[in-house]
Amino acid sequence: MQETRRAARQRRRRRGLMVGTSAGLVVTALVLGLVMTMQPDGKEDAGPAPATAVANSEEIPAPTPPGKKPATASPSASSATPSASASPSASATAPKASATPSATPSAAPTSASPRTAPATSSLAGRIRPKKTYTGVATVYQAGVGDGACSYGPSDDMMIAAMNTTDYETSAACGAYVLVRTANGNSVTVKITNECPLPCAPGQLDLSEQAFAKLVPVSTGRIAITWSLLSSDAVGTVSIRYKIGSSPYWCGIQALGHRNPLARLEVRSGGGWRQLTRTDYNYFLSPDGSGCGGAIRITDIYGERLTINGIALRPDVVQSTGVQFARH
């Protein structure tokens, strides 16, 4: 009997455990169902969502290193810098294109019509037309009249040396200058030489023959004014190639021009190439480009003369038969 009662108690205890376990499983299932219902689309949580930018957030700048200013936004080109229309237009300034050879081929030069219309503005450097300069005149022994301009001996000794500043790398060479003194005397001289320092800007060093037209040579120094002339006492322009010139290198010089030269160009590669002027008054083509071909010279008034038929003959003066207009 006791064994029977003990077995019955054990059966009741096992049933209680099974009931409790079943109830616990039911509760657990309900909780899991609720959790899954709260996930979007019934999907499980995949972990933390990535950070997204906030539209109105402000970026915190990095600390500025010592001694440097923090970078700031640059002003826009339209508000902080002048617009292209605010700058002077190319047409409102002196025509720079005429001072350098054109990038496009120019018309082929012809001997029949060598002259072209003058430019609208002066190409002069320091010595300008219609301007009076103040300075002093000194005197020197000019010998045969040769000088820094490399013209050679001169038949006319009404010549002068220009101070280095106004000589301007030989730009003054060949210029005719009217010199006046307070006593009313005057003389016209041609610039054939350079007067180095201490010759000051405005100073002319005259040959003894020219100085004597103003005051006695023994005076040595006198105050003057002077101005550029467009001389009528000239013939035609001549061209000379420097000694040593060849198809591979050449120097070209113009002589006898009425007005100072602004530039010299040679025909090369279908266009015109401007040559560099030296302080001894030759224009150089270091690679021989254009040597022996057509030559174009331009005076300070912008008039161009095209010259054909000049042979590459070193140290020979060859006449051109053309001359610049008088101003």
Side-chain angles (χ1 to χ4, degrees):
M1 291 294 291
Q2 289 180 353
E3 289 296 329
T4 301
R5 285 194 293 270
R6 187 179 297 115
R9 282 196 298 269
Q10 288 176 353
R11 286 193 296 271
R12 284 193 298 270
R13 192 176 295 118
R14 283 195 296 270
R15 284 196 297 269
L17 289 172
M18 292 176 65
V19 171
T21 300
S22 299
L25 290 172
V26 172
V27 172
T28 301
L30 290 172
V31 172
L32 288 174
L34 289 172
V35 172
M36 294 179 67
T37 303
M38 294 177 66
Q39 293 295 325
D41 300 327
K43 296 181 181 179
E44 294 183 357
D45 190 358
T52 57
V54 180
N56 294 326
S57 65
E58 295 183 1
E59 183 180 358
I60 300 175
T64 303
K68 292 186 179 181
K69 295 182 180 180
T72 56
S74 300
S76 65
S78 60
S79 60
T81 58
S83 64
S85 60
S87 303
S89 64
S91 60
T93 58
K96 299 294 180 65
S98 60
T100 57
S102 173
T104 56
S106 303
T110 60
S111 301
S113 55
R115 191 183 304 275
T116 60
T120 56
S121 76
S122 172
L123 299 176
R126 289 183 57 85
I127 303 175
R128 307 185 69 84
K130 300 179 181 180
K131 182 175 179 180
T132 299
Y133 298 84
T134 301
V136 297
T138 49
V139 60
Y140 80 108
Q141 294 180 345
V144 297
D146 197 6
C149 294
S150 306
Y151 289 136
S154 177
D155 296 332
D156 183 0
M157 294 305 294
M158 295 298 107
I159 57 176
M162 181 66 71
N163 67 84
T164 295
T165 302
D166 295 324
Y167 183 77
E168 200 174 9
T169 316
S170 78
C173 286
Y176 289 91
V177 172
L178 175 62
V179 185
R180 294 187 178 93
T181 63
N183 64 13
N185 292 339
S186 65
V187 62
T188 298
V189 294
K190 179 182 178 181
I191 304 301
T192 62
N193 206 350
E194 178 183 8
C195 183
L197 294 173
C199 278
Q203 182 172 347
L204 293 175
D205 207 19
L206 306 181
S207 67
E208 290 177 318
Q209 295 88 331
F211 193 89
K213 298 287 185 179
L214 303 176
V215 292
V217 172
S218 59
T219 307
R221 184 182 182 95
I222 188 173
I224 59 167
T225 60
W226 56 273
S227 56
L228 184 66
L229 280 183
S230 183
S231 177
D232 58 354
V234 292
T236 60
V237 177
S238 295
I239 296 293
R240 175 166 57 191
Y241 277 96
K242 197 176 189 311
I243 295 174
S245 292
S246 73
Y248 310 102
W249 177 94
C250 68
I252 307 174
Q253 181 186 59
L255 306 93
H257 41 88
R258 170 178 280 125
N259 307 316
L261 289 186
R263 61 180 180 266
L264 184 148
E265 300 162 283
V266 292
R267 187 81 172 176
S268 175
W272 291 101
R273 177 186 177 189
Q274 182 176 343
L275 302 187
T276 301
R277 191 174 197 167
T278 66
D279 59 0
Y280 53 90
N281 196 34
Y282 273 88
F283 296 81
L284 300 186
S285 176
D287 59 359
S289 177
C291 296
I295 299 170
R296 187 166 73 179
I297 56 176
T298 306
D299 69 6
I300 63 171
Y301 299 95
E303 183 181 2
R304 295 180 190 145
L305 300 177
T306 300
I307 304 163
N308 289 298
I310 301 297
L312 208 169
R313 300 168 61 194
D315 202 29
V316 175
V317 177
Q318 302 180 63
S319 179
T320 66
V322 295
Q323 183 57 269
F324 292 112
R326 189 171 179 231
H327 293 266

